[in-house]
Amino acid sequence: MAGMHPEWPVVGHQPVVAFLRQSVQKKKTAHAYLFVGASQIGKATVAKHFAAALLCAQGSDGGWCDDCLSCHQRALGVHPDYHVIVPARATADSTARPIISLEQIKELQQRLSRRPVLAARTVAIINGAGLLNEKAANALLKTVEEPNPGTVIMLTCDAADQVPLTLQSRCQRLSLSAVPTAEIIGALRKEGVSHSEAERIAALAGGRPGLAFAYVQDTQLRKACEEELETFDELTRQAWGERFRLAAAWFQHANADHTRSVAESLRSRLEVWMTAGRDRLLEAAGCGHICQRTRGEIAEVATIDLAAVRQWSLFLDKVIATMVALQQNVNPRLAYELLLLDMPRQRRAGKEMPA
Ligand SMILES: [Zn+2]
């Protein structure tokens, strides 16, 4: 069939994509899905393609055709049976925390209460479901508990515990994990990026294809990430006193940034730390060869430093906990300083010691 998509254009996530395609083919879909995975890993992309397959009038193999009226209207963003919600700021203040409000959910509920006009189903995607406020989450719960037949609701979030358990338990949960570096390199090469560039960008992206593409388009963003990695290296070499001095300077800088909140700035710093910290963990575990290579001098010798493995794994746990806490209005400075206390200290290449 003309234009039929034999493959979904998704980088990585083959098991999840295969599962969803099969469920479209067998017409065995759940009423609600929860896609969980790091930011820019591909959750919204997978959800978008799943929606395309569900809405297409003649997609027979778990794909879509790009030819039918349903596909056309979806591509134009005017499909009457397809609704996408993203978090928004309640005020014009650019540092206000974006949320999904009760009003947004009520409007969606009204749309979901109508019969589908064009497609066999009504499909809704709620991106950033971790930012549903309490009232919105409660309202959404009712919709998910008593869904209209033929309605498919997809939620995406960075970590499952950002979404109330009652809501989680009503959704089919699908976890998206880091995409192998080789696949990201392959995807970047297809876009015309040189091999050495692709290798470097894939390393920085830490398994997140969306971030890799963002680095290709935005060299400033990429430079900022490289600077973050240098800061990370620097911090691991310093003792507490100096770390806190650097933290104070960083907060002054973050406070002066009126394009985003301090919590948001800190979250993007911690995302870089996740990748860099995971590299340190792998290196300590004698697996330097599978590092993302966020820095030059990775220890190639396969020696295992159990103390360092323990320290880095505890540290990564705390980075994740801090990122979750930042979405729940904790004091960013306090959270950051606590994290600095738990950051393993590096005396010289390959040797960690307590800070
Ligand atoms: Zn179609």
Side-chain angles (χ1 to χ4, degrees), residues 4 52-53 55-59 63-72 74:
M4 186 62 79
L55 292 169
C56 177
Q58 49 187 21
W64 61 93
C65 72
D66 276 337
D67 282 331
C68 71
L69 183 60
S70 204
C71 280
H72 274 281
R74 175 184 50 76

Side-chain angles (χ1 to χ4, degrees), residues 186-205:
L188 293 173
R189 296 283 288 132
K190 269 189 208 159
E191 295 297 309
V193 179
S194 76
H195 192 75
S196 60
E197 275 279 288
E199 271 187 335
R200 181 67 190 151
I201 290 173
L204 293 177

Side-chain angles (χ1 to χ4, degrees), residues 115-164:
R115 288 182 156 279
V117 179
L118 205 57
R121 304 174 175 83
T122 308
V123 179
I125 300 177
I126 301 172
N127 281 316
L131 299 170
L132 280 159
N133 73 11
E134 202 186 329
K135 283 179 185 165
N138 285 335
L140 182 62
L141 181 62
K142 290 200 190 86
T143 306
V144 175
E145 276 175 337
E146 296 156 23
N148 278 347
T151 301
V152 177
I153 301 176
M154 304 173 212
L155 284 71
T156 75
C157 68
D158 297 355
D161 53 10
Q162 295 172 341
V163 173

Side-chain angles (χ1 to χ4, degrees), residues 80-291:
D81 311 321
Y82 180 38
H83 314 288
V84 181
I85 286 186
V86 292
R89 296 183 211 280
T91 64
D93 178 5
S94 60
T95 61
R97 215 163 64 103
I99 57 154
I100 296 174
S101 65
L102 180 61
E103 290 68 36
Q104 283 174 289
I105 296 301
K106 278 189 167 168
E107 196 188 328
L108 177 69
Q109 283 171 330
Q110 220 166 39
R111 291 179 173 179
L112 293 181
S113 68
R114 296 178 212 141
R115 288 182 156 279
V117 179
L118 205 57
R121 304 174 175 83
T122 308
V123 179
I125 300 177
I126 301 172
N127 281 316
L131 299 170
L132 280 159
N133 73 11
E134 202 186 329
K135 283 179 185 165
N138 285 335
L140 182 62
L141 181 62
K142 290 200 190 86
T143 306
V144 175
E145 276 175 337
E146 296 156 23
N148 278 347
T151 301
V152 177
I153 301 176
M154 304 173 212
L155 284 71
T156 75
C157 68
D158 297 355
D161 53 10
Q162 295 172 341
V163 173
L165 265 177
T166 44
L167 195 50
Q168 277 184 50
S169 65
R170 298 284 171 171
C171 300
Q172 164 122 43
R173 185 166 152 182
L174 296 166
S175 295
L176 272 61
S177 42
V179 174
T181 305
E183 284 185 47
I184 296 183
I185 293 174
L188 293 173
R189 296 283 288 132
K190 269 189 208 159
E191 295 297 309
V193 179
S194 76
H195 192 75
S196 60
E197 275 279 288
E199 271 187 335
R200 181 67 190 151
I201 290 173
L204 293 177
R208 292 178 287 162
L211 191 56
F213 286 115
Y215 287 149
V216 172
Q217 277 158 11
D218 186 345
T219 48
Q220 277 303 107
L221 189 71
R222 179 178 162 191
K223 200 167 150 260
C225 174
E226 285 174 327
E227 282 167 7
E228 281 293 344
L229 286 171
E230 278 167 32
T231 306
F232 181 85
D233 260 356
E234 171 73 15
L235 284 169
T236 62
R237 285 193 293 268
Q238 303 295 347
W240 290 346
E242 181 61 13
R243 285 180 183 181
F244 285 165
R245 196 193 63 74
L246 290 168
W250 184 80
F251 270 94
Q252 206 169 23
H253 186 73
N255 270 318
D257 179 355
H258 295 300
T259 62
R260 58 181 181 174
S261 67
V262 174
E264 271 178 81
S265 301
L266 185 52
R267 269 183 67 84
S268 63
R269 161 161 284 195
L270 297 188
E271 276 175 4
V272 176
W273 285 20
M274 281 298 297
T275 309
R278 195 171 49 210
D279 263 11
R280 301 303 180 92
L281 174 64
L282 286 170
E283 200 181 350
C287 304
H289 59 290
I290 55 168
C291 278

